[in-house]
Each structure stands twice: as structure tokens, then as C-alpha cells.
Amino acid sequence: AQSVTQLGSHVSVSEGALVLLRCNYSSSVPPYLFWYVQYPNQGLQLLLKYTSAATLVKGINGFEAEFKKSETSFHLTKPSAHMSDAAEYFCAVSKYGNKLVFGAGTILRVKS
Amino acid sequence: EPEVTQTPSHQVTQMGQEVILRCVPISNHLYFYWYRQILGQKVEFLVSFYNNEISEKSEIFDDQFSVERPDGSNFTLKIRSTKLEDSAMYFCASSGRSQDYEQYFGPGTRLTVT
């Protein structure tokens, strides 16, 4: 069975600081990995995805993530946080592009 | 840009009543999904649908739930007899064969069972 663990239910950073949201996965087959963002009272928007191509994946809004098979990780980073990045972020895994299995989410707070 | 739409945005119903949540997936997509998110919890998979039949369902998706694609554009989730614990945000998603398995999510329907 596949699973996702997101370390830290809440992360707080200052505006302009590095954002690092952690995600570790468990999968019996090569996984497809995704990061989604959810703004308050809105749906899920895809930030980026890994589908067995380049291990460093660039997404929207300046976010990127690196697939590290040896560490079973897919951490999300952004060099400089903006106030508009405040939201909840979900890491998800799927097998062969089927159902998504989500992590518990990390709420990102950006302090001015 | 094409998007997934869902109606209604908020539905309030009494326990034991039937509800139908509606979704219009992106027009050329072939795979359809329902997920739910109970307040404060993670997003959970309910069911996937392809070629007019269920391709996978979770243990949550019991006999009280059903899905249908009645007219080639809408994709519905029916809950026959709602329970208090069905209160959640329900998300519809769709994906196309050529989209690298990317699932596009609708804005969700907040279901409140009283």
C-alpha cells in the first residue's frame, strides 16, 4: 500500500526566507508524486508533479521539489517566501497515475 | 483555461436524506474521481470512474454511495441516506490520458448533515 508522511503540520517562515516542506512516501512500485496547494475555502491546485522524468521538478509560483529515491523523499522548496504563499500544502502519491493518496497536509504561515 | 466545476458549493441536508453532488469534468478527460475531506483531516479517495464503470473504490465507498455519468458531461455522486459523519468537503477531479496523470480538482461541495 502507498502512503505519504508530511513532517510538520504547521510551518512558519518569515517573508523572504526559504520555504521547506517535507514529504516522505512509501510505495511498492515507482511512484508518481505530486504537491497540491489549497487556499482557504478553495479547491486543490497542482503545484508540481514527478512522473519518472527529471528528478528536480519545477512548478508554479517559484516552487520546486526533488525526488530522492534513496531517501524516499519529495520535499517542496521555495527560495523566498511571499505572503501570498500562506496556504495548506498537500503531498500525494499515486501508482501508475491512479487514485491519489494524500498526506495530512502542512499549513504554511508567512510572517511579515 | 478549462476547469472542473461543482454544484452546489454548499449543501445542507438532514440526516437520512438523499443528496446528489454534481460535477462537470474537463470535456476531453476520461478518468473521473471523487475525494472527500472531513474538516481538519486529510483528503481521502472515494472512487474512480472510467469507461462508464467504477475502476476502484475505497472502503468508505459503501452501498450508500453511488456514482453516475448520466449524460456524457456531468459526473454525480449520490449518497442515499446521509449520516452525520458524511459531513465533509467533497472534491471531484478529472484527468486525461495525455496529461501525465495530472488530476484537476474542482472547488468542492461542502456537505453539512444536521
Side-chain angles (χ1 to χ4, degrees):
Chain A
Q2 297 174 297
S3 66
V4 171
T5 301
Q6 291 184 240
L7 294 174
S9 59
H10 291 78
V11 170
S12 184
V13 300
S14 297
E15 194 173 18
L18 171 72
V19 176
L20 171 61
L21 304 182
R22 299 178 187 274
C23 172
N24 288 90
Y25 69 90
S26 171
S27 178
S28 57
V29 299
Y32 295 106
L33 292 157
F34 307 82
W35 275 99
Y36 282 85
V37 61
Q38 185 180 33
Y39 297 101
N41 300 314
Q42 294 188 27
L44 297 161
Q45 181 183 8
L46 182 70
L47 277 177
L48 49 79
K49 62 189 177 191
Y50 167 77
T51 56
S52 75
T55 56
L56 181 62
V57 181
K58 293 188 186 298
I60 62 171
N61 302 339
F63 284 93
E64 63 181 40
E66 186 172 8
F67 172 68
K68 291 188 177 180
K69 184 178 178 181
S70 61
E71 298 177 8
T72 60
S73 69
F74 190 57
H75 301 332
L76 181 71
T77 60
K78 182 174 180 178
S80 177
H82 293 165
M83 297 298 289
S84 59
D85 294 327
E88 188 161 17
Y89 292 79
F90 292 93
C91 182
V93 63
S94 78
K95 182 172 68 172
Y96 307 131
N98 293 324
K99 69 177 184 186
L100 291 168
V101 175
F102 285 87
T106 297
I107 295 173
L108 175 66
R109 179 183 167 223
V110 182
K111 298 176 290 185
S112 59
Chain B
E1 186 175 333
E3 59 181 16
V4 176
T5 59
Q6 290 185 244
T7 55
S9 58
H10 191 188
Q11 171 105 37
V12 181
T13 190
Q14 289 191 326
M15 195 167 52
Q17 295 297 304
E18 174 184 286
V19 294
I20 297 176
L21 310 183
R22 291 183 167 80
C23 167
V24 179
I26 294 172
S27 63
N28 62 347
H29 281 184
L30 302 173
Y31 301 84
F32 312 109
Y33 308 84
W34 283 101
Y35 294 83
R36 79 172 185 189
Q37 184 181 30
I38 294 172
L39 188 64
Q41 298 186 24
K42 65 171 70 174
V43 178
E44 303 172 287
F45 168 78
L46 290 178
V47 65
S48 58
F49 192 85
Y50 170 71
N51 201 25
N52 282 321
E53 60 182 27
I54 290 174
S55 48
E56 187 174 2
K57 60 183 181 178
S58 72
E59 61 274 11
I60 302 168
F61 195 88
D62 61 21
D63 292 344
Q64 292 299 313
F65 291 87
S66 62
V67 289
E68 195 177 32
R69 190 156 160 80
D71 56 12
S73 62
N74 290 282
F75 179 50
T76 62
L77 174 69
K78 183 194 290 186
I79 308 174
R80 256 180 279 281
S81 178
T82 50
K83 307 183 185 78
L84 293 176
E85 54 265 37
D86 294 326
S87 295
M89 180 73 90
Y90 288 81
F91 292 107
C92 173
S94 70
S95 68
R97 192 170 290 166
S98 62
Q99 296 295 326
D100 289 331
Y101 308 110
E102 176 177 336
Q103 292 183 24
Y104 292 80
F105 282 77
T109 293
R110 179 164 297 286
L111 176 65
T112 303
V113 183
T114 62

